[in-house]
Amino acid sequence: MKKVLAILLFFTIMVAMQPKAQAQCSMCSANAEMSVKNGNTQGTGLNTGILYLLAIPYLLFTGVGALWYLKYRKKNTTKVA
């Protein structure tokens, strides 16, 4: 269990220490800059869409991992008892 926590802590620290990405396609960059200058909310919608698309794979992998862990844990407890 300590090994799993150490690996999880390592990956958490590595993700948290990543530098902020400054690369964008020219269309997204121009759209975000113009929406901020004009007071529109298009930039906010663009950012919300990006976060939504980013969150879905993480939620799927977390769900599959939790199901796998619970199934493995249930299998181990029945063998021991």
Side-chain angles (χ1 to χ4, degrees):
M1 186 65 173
K2 288 183 181 181
K3 186 177 181 179
V4 172
L5 289 176
I7 291 171
L8 183 63
L9 180 65
F10 172 75
F11 281 114
T12 303
I13 290 172
M14 292 305 288
V15 168
M17 294 181 64
Q18 292 295 321
K20 185 177 177 183
Q22 297 294 328
Q24 293 178 342
C25 69
S26 60
M27 292 296 289
C28 295
S29 178
N31 186 18
E33 287 176 10
M34 292 305 291
S35 69
V36 171
K37 289 179 183 176
N38 295 334
N40 295 338
T41 59
Q42 291 173 350
T44 305
L46 182 65
N47 288 336
T48 304
I50 290 169
L51 291 176
Y52 175 75
L53 290 172
L54 179 70
I56 296 298
Y58 286 109
L59 291 174
L60 288 174
F61 284 126
T62 302
V64 169
L67 288 173
W68 177 72
Y69 173 74
L70 291 174
K71 186 175 180 179
Y72 176 75
R73 191 173 123 200
K74 186 185 290 186
K75 192 182 292 186
N76 265 353
T77 57
T78 57
K79 287 183 180 179
V80 173

Short mmCIF file of all heavy atoms in Angstrom, two decimals, residues 3-75:
data_model
loop_
_atom_site.label_atom_id
_atom_site.label_comp_id
_atom_site.label_asym_id
_atom_site.label_seq_id
_atom_site.Cartn_x
_atom_site.Cartn_y
_atom_site.Cartn_z
N LYS A 3 3.73 1.56 -1.40
CA LYS A 3 4.29 1.73 -2.73
C LYS A 3 3.29 2.43 -3.65
O LYS A 3 3.66 3.33 -4.41
CB LYS A 3 4.66 0.36 -3.30
CG LYS A 3 5.38 0.43 -4.63
CD LYS A 3 5.78 -0.95 -5.09
CE LYS A 3 6.53 -0.88 -6.40
NZ LYS A 3 6.95 -2.20 -6.86
N VAL A 4 2.02 2.07 -3.54
CA VAL A 4 0.98 2.69 -4.36
C VAL A 4 0.84 4.16 -3.98
O VAL A 4 0.74 5.03 -4.86
CB VAL A 4 -0.36 1.95 -4.17
CG1 VAL A 4 -1.49 2.70 -4.87
CG2 VAL A 4 -0.27 0.53 -4.70
N LEU A 5 0.86 4.46 -2.69
CA LEU A 5 0.77 5.86 -2.26
C LEU A 5 1.98 6.67 -2.70
O LEU A 5 1.85 7.83 -3.09
CB LEU A 5 0.62 5.94 -0.74
CG LEU A 5 -0.74 5.48 -0.20
CD1 LEU A 5 -0.73 5.50 1.32
CD2 LEU A 5 -1.85 6.35 -0.72
N ALA A 6 3.16 6.06 -2.68
CA ALA A 6 4.36 6.76 -3.13
C ALA A 6 4.29 7.07 -4.63
O ALA A 6 4.65 8.17 -5.06
CB ALA A 6 5.60 5.92 -2.82
N ILE A 7 3.81 6.11 -5.41
CA ILE A 7 3.68 6.33 -6.85
C ILE A 7 2.63 7.40 -7.13
O ILE A 7 2.85 8.29 -7.96
CB ILE A 7 3.32 5.00 -7.56
CG1 ILE A 7 4.51 4.05 -7.51
CG2 ILE A 7 2.90 5.24 -9.00
CD1 ILE A 7 4.21 2.65 -7.98
N LEU A 8 1.51 7.36 -6.41
CA LEU A 8 0.46 8.36 -6.58
C LEU A 8 0.96 9.75 -6.20
O LEU A 8 0.71 10.73 -6.90
CB LEU A 8 -0.76 8.00 -5.74
CG LEU A 8 -1.97 8.90 -5.87
CD1 LEU A 8 -2.50 8.87 -7.29
CD2 LEU A 8 -3.04 8.49 -4.89
N LEU A 9 1.70 9.84 -5.12
CA LEU A 9 2.28 11.12 -4.70
C LEU A 9 3.28 11.63 -5.73
O LEU A 9 3.29 12.82 -6.06
CB LEU A 9 2.95 10.97 -3.33
CG LEU A 9 3.59 12.23 -2.76
CD1 LEU A 9 2.52 13.27 -2.47
CD2 LEU A 9 4.36 11.90 -1.50
N PHE A 10 4.09 10.75 -6.28
CA PHE A 10 5.06 11.14 -7.30
C PHE A 10 4.37 11.74 -8.52
O PHE A 10 4.75 12.81 -9.00
CB PHE A 10 5.90 9.92 -7.70
CG PHE A 10 6.81 10.18 -8.87
CD1 PHE A 10 7.96 10.93 -8.72
CD2 PHE A 10 6.50 9.67 -10.12
CE1 PHE A 10 8.79 11.17 -9.80
CE2 PHE A 10 7.33 9.90 -11.20
CZ PHE A 10 8.47 10.66 -11.03
N PHE A 11 3.35 11.05 -9.03
CA PHE A 11 2.65 11.55 -10.21
C PHE A 11 1.90 12.85 -9.92
O PHE A 11 1.82 13.73 -10.76
CB PHE A 11 1.71 10.49 -10.78
CG PHE A 11 2.42 9.45 -11.58
CD1 PHE A 11 2.46 8.13 -11.16
CD2 PHE A 11 3.08 9.78 -12.75
CE1 PHE A 11 3.13 7.17 -11.88
CE2 PHE A 11 3.74 8.83 -13.50
CZ PHE A 11 3.77 7.52 -13.06
N THR A 12 1.36 12.97 -8.71
CA THR A 12 0.67 14.21 -8.34
C THR A 12 1.64 15.38 -8.33
O THR A 12 1.34 16.46 -8.84
CB THR A 12 0.00 14.06 -6.96
OG1 THR A 12 -0.88 12.95 -7.01
CG2 THR A 12 -0.76 15.31 -6.58
N ILE A 13 2.81 15.18 -7.77
CA ILE A 13 3.82 16.24 -7.73
C ILE A 13 4.29 16.58 -9.14
O ILE A 13 4.46 17.75 -9.48
CB ILE A 13 5.00 15.83 -6.82
CG1 ILE A 13 4.54 15.82 -5.37
CG2 ILE A 13 6.18 16.78 -7.00
CD1 ILE A 13 5.55 15.25 -4.40
N MET A 14 4.49 15.57 -9.98
CA MET A 14 4.95 15.82 -11.34
C MET A 14 3.92 16.61 -12.15
O MET A 14 4.28 17.50 -12.92
CB MET A 14 5.27 14.49 -12.05
CG MET A 14 6.46 13.77 -11.47
SD MET A 14 7.96 14.77 -11.41
CE MET A 14 8.36 14.83 -13.12
N VAL A 15 2.65 16.32 -11.95
CA VAL A 15 1.60 17.04 -12.67
C VAL A 15 1.51 18.47 -12.15
O VAL A 15 1.34 19.42 -12.92
CB VAL A 15 0.25 16.32 -12.54
CG1 VAL A 15 -0.89 17.18 -13.02
CG2 VAL A 15 0.28 15.01 -13.32
N ALA A 16 1.64 18.65 -10.84
CA ALA A 16 1.52 19.98 -10.25
C ALA A 16 2.69 20.88 -10.63
O ALA A 16 2.54 22.10 -10.69
CB ALA A 16 1.43 19.87 -8.73
N MET A 17 3.85 20.32 -10.91
CA MET A 17 5.04 21.12 -11.20
C MET A 17 5.24 21.40 -12.69
O MET A 17 6.25 21.98 -13.07
CB MET A 17 6.28 20.43 -10.64
CG MET A 17 6.28 20.37 -9.13
SD MET A 17 7.74 19.58 -8.46
CE MET A 17 9.00 20.70 -9.00
N GLN A 18 4.30 21.01 -13.53
CA GLN A 18 4.44 21.25 -14.96
C GLN A 18 4.34 22.74 -15.25
O GLN A 18 3.51 23.44 -14.68
CB GLN A 18 3.33 20.52 -15.73
CG GLN A 18 3.48 19.02 -15.70
CD GLN A 18 4.72 18.56 -16.42
OE1 GLN A 18 5.09 19.10 -17.45
NE2 GLN A 18 5.37 17.58 -15.86
N PRO A 19 5.18 23.25 -16.15
CA PRO A 19 5.08 24.67 -16.50
C PRO A 19 3.80 24.93 -17.28
O PRO A 19 3.26 24.05 -17.95
CB PRO A 19 6.31 24.91 -17.38
CG PRO A 19 6.66 23.58 -17.91
CD PRO A 19 6.25 22.58 -16.87
N LYS A 20 3.32 26.14 -17.18
CA LYS A 20 2.10 26.51 -17.88
C LYS A 20 2.37 26.55 -19.38
O LYS A 20 3.33 27.17 -19.84
CB LYS A 20 1.64 27.89 -17.40
CG LYS A 20 0.33 28.31 -17.98
CD LYS A 20 -0.11 29.64 -17.42
CE LYS A 20 -1.39 30.07 -18.06
NZ LYS A 20 -1.83 31.38 -17.59
N ALA A 21 1.54 25.90 -20.15
CA ALA A 21 1.70 25.86 -21.59
C ALA A 21 1.26 27.18 -22.20
O ALA A 21 0.22 27.72 -21.86
CB ALA A 21 0.90 24.71 -22.18
N GLN A 22 2.05 27.71 -23.09
CA GLN A 22 1.74 28.98 -23.75
C GLN A 22 1.37 28.79 -25.21
O GLN A 22 1.11 29.76 -25.90
CB GLN A 22 2.96 29.92 -23.65
CG GLN A 22 3.32 30.30 -22.24
CD GLN A 22 2.24 31.13 -21.56
OE1 GLN A 22 1.54 31.90 -22.20
NE2 GLN A 22 2.10 30.96 -20.27
N ALA A 23 1.36 27.57 -25.69
CA ALA A 23 1.09 27.32 -27.10
C ALA A 23 -0.41 27.22 -27.35
O ALA A 23 -1.13 26.56 -26.62
CB ALA A 23 1.77 26.03 -27.54
N GLN A 24 -0.86 27.88 -28.37
CA GLN A 24 -2.25 27.81 -28.81
C GLN A 24 -2.26 27.93 -30.33
O GLN A 24 -1.34 28.50 -30.92
CB GLN A 24 -3.08 28.96 -28.25
CG GLN A 24 -3.28 28.94 -26.77
CD GLN A 24 -4.09 30.14 -26.32
OE1 GLN A 24 -4.22 31.12 -27.02
NE2 GLN A 24 -4.63 30.05 -25.12
N CYS A 25 -3.31 27.41 -30.91
CA CYS A 25 -3.43 27.63 -32.35
C CYS A 25 -3.80 29.09 -32.57
O CYS A 25 -4.31 29.77 -31.68
CB CYS A 25 -4.48 26.70 -32.96
SG CYS A 25 -6.17 27.05 -32.47
N SER A 26 -3.53 29.60 -33.73
CA SER A 26 -3.74 31.03 -33.99
C SER A 26 -5.21 31.42 -33.90
O SER A 26 -5.54 32.51 -33.44
CB SER A 26 -3.17 31.40 -35.35
OG SER A 26 -3.82 30.64 -36.36
N MET A 27 -6.10 30.53 -34.30
CA MET A 27 -7.53 30.84 -34.23
C MET A 27 -8.01 30.94 -32.79
O MET A 27 -8.75 31.85 -32.42
CB MET A 27 -8.35 29.78 -34.98
CG MET A 27 -8.14 29.79 -36.47
SD MET A 27 -8.71 31.32 -37.23
CE MET A 27 -10.45 31.10 -37.05
N CYS A 28 -7.60 30.00 -31.95
CA CYS A 28 -8.02 30.02 -30.54
C CYS A 28 -7.44 31.24 -29.83
O CYS A 28 -8.11 31.88 -29.03
CB CYS A 28 -7.57 28.76 -29.83
SG CYS A 28 -8.35 27.27 -30.45
N SER A 29 -6.19 31.54 -30.12
CA SER A 29 -5.54 32.68 -29.49
C SER A 29 -6.22 33.99 -29.88
O SER A 29 -6.51 34.83 -29.03
CB SER A 29 -4.06 32.72 -29.89
OG SER A 29 -3.43 33.83 -29.33
N ALA A 30 -6.50 34.16 -31.16
CA ALA A 30 -7.16 35.38 -31.63
C ALA A 30 -8.56 35.50 -31.06
O ALA A 30 -8.99 36.59 -30.64
CB ALA A 30 -7.19 35.40 -33.15
N ASN A 31 -9.28 34.39 -31.00
CA ASN A 31 -10.64 34.39 -30.47
C ASN A 31 -10.64 34.77 -28.99
O ASN A 31 -11.46 35.57 -28.54
CB ASN A 31 -11.29 33.03 -30.67
CG ASN A 31 -12.74 33.01 -30.27
OD1 ASN A 31 -13.37 34.03 -30.15
ND2 ASN A 31 -13.26 31.81 -30.07
N ALA A 32 -9.73 34.21 -28.22
CA ALA A 32 -9.67 34.49 -26.79
C ALA A 32 -9.28 35.94 -26.53
O ALA A 32 -9.85 36.60 -25.66
CB ALA A 32 -8.69 33.54 -26.12
N GLU A 33 -8.31 36.46 -27.28
CA GLU A 33 -7.87 37.84 -27.08
C GLU A 33 -8.97 38.84 -27.44
O GLU A 33 -9.20 39.81 -26.73
CB GLU A 33 -6.62 38.13 -27.91
CG GLU A 33 -5.37 37.47 -27.36
CD GLU A 33 -4.17 37.70 -28.25
OE1 GLU A 33 -4.26 38.52 -29.18
OE2 GLU A 33 -3.14 37.04 -28.01
N MET A 34 -9.64 38.61 -28.55
CA MET A 34 -10.69 39.53 -28.98
C MET A 34 -11.90 39.49 -28.05
O MET A 34 -12.53 40.51 -27.80
CB MET A 34 -11.13 39.23 -30.41
CG MET A 34 -10.05 39.54 -31.45
SD MET A 34 -9.44 41.23 -31.36
CE MET A 34 -10.86 42.12 -31.94
N SER A 35 -12.21 38.32 -27.52
CA SER A 35 -13.37 38.24 -26.64
C SER A 35 -13.11 38.95 -25.33
O SER A 35 -14.03 39.55 -24.75
CB SER A 35 -13.75 36.78 -26.39
OG SER A 35 -12.77 36.14 -25.60
N VAL A 36 -11.89 38.93 -24.85
CA VAL A 36 -11.57 39.64 -23.62
C VAL A 36 -11.61 41.14 -23.84
O VAL A 36 -12.14 41.89 -23.01
CB VAL A 36 -10.17 39.20 -23.09
CG1 VAL A 36 -9.72 40.07 -21.94
CG2 VAL A 36 -10.20 37.74 -22.66
N LYS A 37 -11.10 41.59 -24.96
CA LYS A 37 -11.09 43.02 -25.26
C LYS A 37 -12.49 43.58 -25.45
O LYS A 37 -12.79 44.69 -25.04
CB LYS A 37 -10.25 43.31 -26.50
CG LYS A 37 -8.76 43.13 -26.28
CD LYS A 37 -7.99 43.41 -27.56
CE LYS A 37 -6.51 43.15 -27.34
NZ LYS A 37 -5.76 43.32 -28.58
N ASN A 38 -13.36 42.80 -26.09
CA ASN A 38 -14.71 43.27 -26.37
C ASN A 38 -15.69 43.01 -25.24
O ASN A 38 -16.84 43.41 -25.32
CB ASN A 38 -15.24 42.61 -27.66
CG ASN A 38 -14.44 43.04 -28.87
OD1 ASN A 38 -13.85 44.12 -28.88
ND2 ASN A 38 -14.41 42.19 -29.87
N GLY A 39 -15.29 42.30 -24.21
CA GLY A 39 -16.17 42.01 -23.09
C GLY A 39 -17.11 40.85 -23.33
O GLY A 39 -18.06 40.66 -22.59
N ASN A 40 -16.87 40.07 -24.37
CA ASN A 40 -17.72 38.91 -24.65
C ASN A 40 -17.35 37.74 -23.74
O ASN A 40 -16.31 37.74 -23.09
CB ASN A 40 -17.57 38.48 -26.11
CG ASN A 40 -18.08 39.52 -27.07
OD1 ASN A 40 -18.90 40.36 -26.70
ND2 ASN A 40 -17.61 39.47 -28.30
N THR A 41 -18.19 36.74 -23.72
CA THR A 41 -17.94 35.55 -22.90
C THR A 41 -17.52 34.36 -23.74
O THR A 41 -17.57 33.23 -23.27
CB THR A 41 -19.19 35.19 -22.09
OG1 THR A 41 -20.26 34.94 -23.00
CG2 THR A 41 -19.57 36.30 -21.14
N GLN A 42 -17.11 34.59 -24.98
CA GLN A 42 -16.68 33.48 -25.83
C GLN A 42 -15.43 32.80 -25.29
O GLN A 42 -15.30 31.59 -25.39
CB GLN A 42 -16.43 33.97 -27.25
CG GLN A 42 -17.67 34.39 -27.97
CD GLN A 42 -17.35 35.02 -29.31
OE1 GLN A 42 -16.20 35.30 -29.61
NE2 GLN A 42 -18.38 35.24 -30.12
N GLY A 43 -14.53 33.57 -24.73
CA GLY A 43 -13.32 32.99 -24.15
C GLY A 43 -13.64 32.09 -22.98
O GLY A 43 -13.03 31.03 -22.81
N THR A 44 -14.60 32.48 -22.17
CA THR A 44 -15.01 31.65 -21.04
C THR A 44 -15.63 30.35 -21.52
O THR A 44 -15.36 29.28 -20.98
CB THR A 44 -16.03 32.42 -20.17
OG1 THR A 44 -15.45 33.67 -19.79
CG2 THR A 44 -16.38 31.64 -18.93
N GLY A 45 -16.44 30.43 -22.56
CA GLY A 45 -17.04 29.23 -23.13
C GLY A 45 -15.99 28.31 -23.73
O GLY A 45 -16.08 27.09 -23.60
N LEU A 46 -14.99 28.89 -24.37
CA LEU A 46 -13.90 28.11 -24.94
C LEU A 46 -13.14 27.37 -23.86
O LEU A 46 -12.87 26.18 -23.97
CB LEU A 46 -12.97 29.03 -25.73
CG LEU A 46 -11.79 28.39 -26.45
CD1 LEU A 46 -12.27 27.46 -27.54
CD2 LEU A 46 -10.89 29.46 -27.02
N ASN A 47 -12.82 28.07 -22.77
CA ASN A 47 -12.10 27.45 -21.66
C ASN A 47 -12.94 26.37 -20.99
O ASN A 47 -12.41 25.32 -20.61
CB ASN A 47 -11.68 28.50 -20.64
CG ASN A 47 -10.56 29.36 -21.15
OD1 ASN A 47 -9.81 28.96 -22.02
ND2 ASN A 47 -10.44 30.56 -20.61
N THR A 48 -14.22 26.60 -20.83
CA THR A 48 -15.10 25.60 -20.23
C THR A 48 -15.17 24.34 -21.10
O THR A 48 -15.13 23.22 -20.58
CB THR A 48 -16.51 26.18 -20.03
OG1 THR A 48 -16.41 27.36 -19.24
CG2 THR A 48 -17.42 25.19 -19.34
N GLY A 49 -15.24 24.51 -22.39
CA GLY A 49 -15.25 23.37 -23.30
C GLY A 49 -13.97 22.57 -23.24
O GLY A 49 -13.99 21.34 -23.27
N ILE A 50 -12.85 23.25 -23.15
CA ILE A 50 -11.56 22.57 -23.05
C ILE A 50 -11.49 21.76 -21.76
O ILE A 50 -11.05 20.61 -21.75
CB ILE A 50 -10.41 23.58 -23.14
CG1 ILE A 50 -10.31 24.15 -24.56
CG2 ILE A 50 -9.08 22.93 -22.75
CD1 ILE A 50 -9.39 25.33 -24.69
N LEU A 51 -11.93 22.34 -20.65
CA LEU A 51 -11.90 21.62 -19.38
C LEU A 51 -12.86 20.43 -19.39
O LEU A 51 -12.55 19.37 -18.83
CB LEU A 51 -12.26 22.57 -18.23
CG LEU A 51 -11.20 23.63 -17.92
CD1 LEU A 51 -11.71 24.56 -16.83
CD2 LEU A 51 -9.90 22.98 -17.49
N TYR A 52 -13.99 20.58 -20.03
CA TYR A 52 -14.94 19.47 -20.15
C TYR A 52 -14.31 18.32 -20.94
O TYR A 52 -14.38 17.16 -20.52
CB TYR A 52 -16.21 19.95 -20.83
CG TYR A 52 -17.20 18.86 -21.11
CD1 TYR A 52 -17.96 18.31 -20.08
CD2 TYR A 52 -17.38 18.37 -22.40
CE1 TYR A 52 -18.87 17.30 -20.34
CE2 TYR A 52 -18.29 17.37 -22.66
CZ TYR A 52 -19.03 16.84 -21.63
OH TYR A 52 -19.92 15.84 -21.88
N LEU A 53 -13.69 18.63 -22.06
CA LEU A 53 -13.05 17.58 -22.86
C LEU A 53 -11.87 16.95 -22.13
O LEU A 53 -11.58 15.77 -22.33
CB LEU A 53 -12.58 18.17 -24.20
CG LEU A 53 -13.69 18.54 -25.18
CD1 LEU A 53 -13.10 19.28 -26.37
CD2 LEU A 53 -14.44 17.31 -25.62
N LEU A 54 -11.21 17.71 -21.29
CA LEU A 54 -10.08 17.18 -20.53
C LEU A 54 -10.54 16.28 -19.39
O LEU A 54 -9.88 15.30 -19.06
CB LEU A 54 -9.26 18.35 -19.97
CG LEU A 54 -8.04 18.01 -19.12
CD1 LEU A 54 -6.97 17.40 -20.01
CD2 LEU A 54 -7.52 19.24 -18.43
N ALA A 55 -11.68 16.58 -18.78
CA ALA A 55 -12.14 15.84 -17.60
C ALA A 55 -12.70 14.46 -17.93
O ALA A 55 -12.58 13.54 -17.12
CB ALA A 55 -13.19 16.67 -16.87
N ILE A 56 -13.29 14.29 -19.08
CA ILE A 56 -13.96 13.03 -19.42
C ILE A 56 -13.01 11.83 -19.38
O ILE A 56 -13.33 10.82 -18.74
CB ILE A 56 -14.67 13.14 -20.78
CG1 ILE A 56 -15.79 14.19 -20.70
CG2 ILE A 56 -15.22 11.81 -21.23
CD1 ILE A 56 -16.88 13.88 -19.71
N PRO A 57 -11.84 11.86 -20.00
CA PRO A 57 -10.96 10.68 -19.92
C PRO A 57 -10.52 10.37 -18.49
O PRO A 57 -10.43 9.21 -18.10
CB PRO A 57 -9.74 11.06 -20.78
CG PRO A 57 -10.23 12.11 -21.68
CD PRO A 57 -11.28 12.85 -20.94
N TYR A 58 -10.26 11.40 -17.70
CA TYR A 58 -9.86 11.16 -16.31
C TYR A 58 -10.99 10.50 -15.52
O TYR A 58 -10.75 9.59 -14.72
CB TYR A 58 -9.44 12.46 -15.64
CG TYR A 58 -8.09 12.94 -16.10
CD1 TYR A 58 -7.98 14.05 -16.91
CD2 TYR A 58 -6.94 12.28 -15.73
CE1 TYR A 58 -6.74 14.50 -17.34
CE2 TYR A 58 -5.69 12.70 -16.15
CZ TYR A 58 -5.60 13.81 -16.96
OH TYR A 58 -4.37 14.24 -17.38
N LEU A 59 -12.21 10.93 -15.72
CA LEU A 59 -13.34 10.31 -15.02
C LEU A 59 -13.54 8.86 -15.46
O LEU A 59 -13.83 7.99 -14.63
CB LEU A 59 -14.62 11.11 -15.27
CG LEU A 59 -14.67 12.49 -14.62
CD1 LEU A 59 -15.92 13.24 -15.07
CD2 LEU A 59 -14.65 12.37 -13.12
N LEU A 60 -13.38 8.59 -16.75
CA LEU A 60 -13.52 7.22 -17.24
C LEU A 60 -12.44 6.31 -16.66
O LEU A 60 -12.74 5.20 -16.20
CB LEU A 60 -13.48 7.19 -18.76
CG LEU A 60 -14.70 7.76 -19.48
CD1 LEU A 60 -14.46 7.82 -20.97
CD2 LEU A 60 -15.92 6.92 -19.17
N PHE A 61 -11.19 6.75 -16.68
CA PHE A 61 -10.11 5.93 -16.14
C PHE A 61 -10.26 5.73 -14.64
O PHE A 61 -9.98 4.65 -14.11
CB PHE A 61 -8.75 6.55 -16.45
CG PHE A 61 -8.32 6.35 -17.88
CD1 PHE A 61 -7.96 7.43 -18.66
CD2 PHE A 61 -8.28 5.09 -18.44
CE1 PHE A 61 -7.57 7.25 -19.98
CE2 PHE A 61 -7.90 4.90 -19.75
CZ PHE A 61 -7.54 5.99 -20.53
N THR A 62 -10.73 6.74 -13.93
CA THR A 62 -10.95 6.61 -12.50
C THR A 62 -12.05 5.60 -12.22
O THR A 62 -11.92 4.76 -11.31
CB THR A 62 -11.31 7.97 -11.88
OG1 THR A 62 -10.25 8.89 -12.15
CG2 THR A 62 -11.51 7.87 -10.39
N GLY A 63 -13.13 5.65 -12.97
CA GLY A 63 -14.22 4.70 -12.79
C GLY A 63 -13.79 3.27 -13.07
O GLY A 63 -14.10 2.35 -12.31
N VAL A 64 -13.07 3.07 -14.16
CA VAL A 64 -12.59 1.73 -14.51
C VAL A 64 -11.61 1.23 -13.44
O VAL A 64 -11.67 0.07 -13.02
CB VAL A 64 -11.94 1.72 -15.91
CG1 VAL A 64 -11.20 0.41 -16.17
CG2 VAL A 64 -13.00 1.95 -16.96
N GLY A 65 -10.73 2.10 -12.99
CA GLY A 65 -9.78 1.71 -11.95
C GLY A 65 -10.47 1.36 -10.63
O GLY A 65 -10.09 0.40 -9.97
N ALA A 66 -11.49 2.11 -10.26
CA ALA A 66 -12.22 1.82 -9.03
C ALA A 66 -12.96 0.49 -9.14
O ALA A 66 -12.95 -0.31 -8.19
CB ALA A 66 -13.19 2.96 -8.73
N LEU A 67 -13.60 0.24 -10.28
CA LEU A 67 -14.27 -1.05 -10.46
C LEU A 67 -13.29 -2.21 -10.42
O LEU A 67 -13.56 -3.24 -9.82
CB LEU A 67 -15.05 -1.05 -11.78
CG LEU A 67 -16.31 -0.20 -11.82
CD1 LEU A 67 -16.87 -0.17 -13.23
CD2 LEU A 67 -17.33 -0.72 -10.84
N TRP A 68 -12.16 -2.05 -11.08
CA TRP A 68 -11.15 -3.10 -11.08
C TRP A 68 -10.63 -3.35 -9.67
O TRP A 68 -10.48 -4.50 -9.25
CB TRP A 68 -9.99 -2.70 -12.01
CG TRP A 68 -8.88 -3.69 -12.01
CD1 TRP A 68 -8.86 -4.93 -12.55
CD2 TRP A 68 -7.59 -3.51 -11.41
NE1 TRP A 68 -7.66 -5.53 -12.34
CE2 TRP A 68 -6.85 -4.67 -11.64
CE3 TRP A 68 -7.00 -2.47 -10.71
CZ2 TRP A 68 -5.56 -4.83 -11.19
CZ3 TRP A 68 -5.70 -2.62 -10.27
CH2 TRP A 68 -5.00 -3.79 -10.51
N TYR A 69 -10.37 -2.28 -8.92
CA TYR A 69 -9.87 -2.42 -7.55
C TYR A 69 -10.90 -3.11 -6.66
O TYR A 69 -10.56 -4.00 -5.89
CB TYR A 69 -9.52 -1.04 -6.98
CG TYR A 69 -9.14 -1.09 -5.52
CD1 TYR A 69 -7.92 -1.60 -5.12
CD2 TYR A 69 -10.03 -0.65 -4.55
CE1 TYR A 69 -7.57 -1.66 -3.79
CE2 TYR A 69 -9.69 -0.71 -3.21
CZ TYR A 69 -8.47 -1.21 -2.83
OH TYR A 69 -8.13 -1.26 -1.50
N LEU A 70 -12.17 -2.71 -6.76
CA LEU A 70 -13.19 -3.33 -5.92
C LEU A 70 -13.39 -4.80 -6.27
O LEU A 70 -13.57 -5.64 -5.38
CB LEU A 70 -14.50 -2.57 -6.06
CG LEU A 70 -14.51 -1.16 -5.45
CD1 LEU A 70 -15.81 -0.45 -5.78
CD2 LEU A 70 -14.28 -1.23 -3.95
N LYS A 71 -13.33 -5.13 -7.54
CA LYS A 71 -13.48 -6.52 -7.95
C LYS A 71 -12.29 -7.35 -7.46
O LYS A 71 -12.46 -8.46 -6.95
CB LYS A 71 -13.59 -6.62 -9.47
CG LYS A 71 -13.89 -7.99 -9.97
CD LYS A 71 -14.11 -8.03 -11.46
CE LYS A 71 -14.40 -9.44 -11.91
NZ LYS A 71 -14.66 -9.52 -13.33
N TYR A 72 -11.09 -6.82 -7.57
CA TYR A 72 -9.89 -7.52 -7.11
C TYR A 72 -9.92 -7.68 -5.60
O TYR A 72 -9.58 -8.73 -5.08
CB TYR A 72 -8.64 -6.75 -7.54
CG TYR A 72 -7.35 -7.34 -7.02
CD1 TYR A 72 -6.84 -8.50 -7.58
CD2 TYR A 72 -6.65 -6.74 -5.99
CE1 TYR A 72 -5.67 -9.06 -7.13
CE2 TYR A 72 -5.47 -7.28 -5.51
CZ TYR A 72 -4.99 -8.45 -6.08
OH TYR A 72 -3.84 -8.98 -5.61
N ARG A 73 -10.33 -6.66 -4.89
CA ARG A 73 -10.40 -6.69 -3.43
C ARG A 73 -11.45 -7.70 -2.98
O ARG A 73 -11.20 -8.46 -2.03
CB ARG A 73 -10.75 -5.31 -2.89
CG ARG A 73 -10.58 -5.21 -1.40
CD ARG A 73 -10.77 -3.80 -0.96
NE ARG A 73 -11.85 -3.83 0.01
CZ ARG A 73 -12.57 -2.83 0.37
NH1 ARG A 73 -12.39 -1.67 -0.18
NH2 ARG A 73 -13.49 -2.95 1.29
N LYS A 74 -12.57 -7.76 -3.66
CA LYS A 74 -13.61 -8.72 -3.30
C LYS A 74 -13.12 -10.14 -3.52
O LYS A 74 -13.36 -11.03 -2.72
CB LYS A 74 -14.87 -8.47 -4.12
CG LYS A 74 -16.05 -9.33 -3.70
CD LYS A 74 -17.25 -9.13 -4.61
CE LYS A 74 -17.83 -7.76 -4.40
NZ LYS A 74 -19.08 -7.58 -5.16
N LYS A 75 -12.39 -10.37 -4.61
CA LYS A 75 -11.86 -11.68 -4.92
C LYS A 75 -10.85 -12.12 -3.86
O LYS A 75 -10.83 -13.27 -3.44
CB LYS A 75 -11.22 -11.67 -6.31
CG LYS A 75 -10.90 -13.07 -6.84
CD LYS A 75 -10.23 -13.00 -8.19
CE LYS A 75 -11.17 -12.48 -9.25
NZ LYS A 75 -10.59 -12.54 -10.59
#
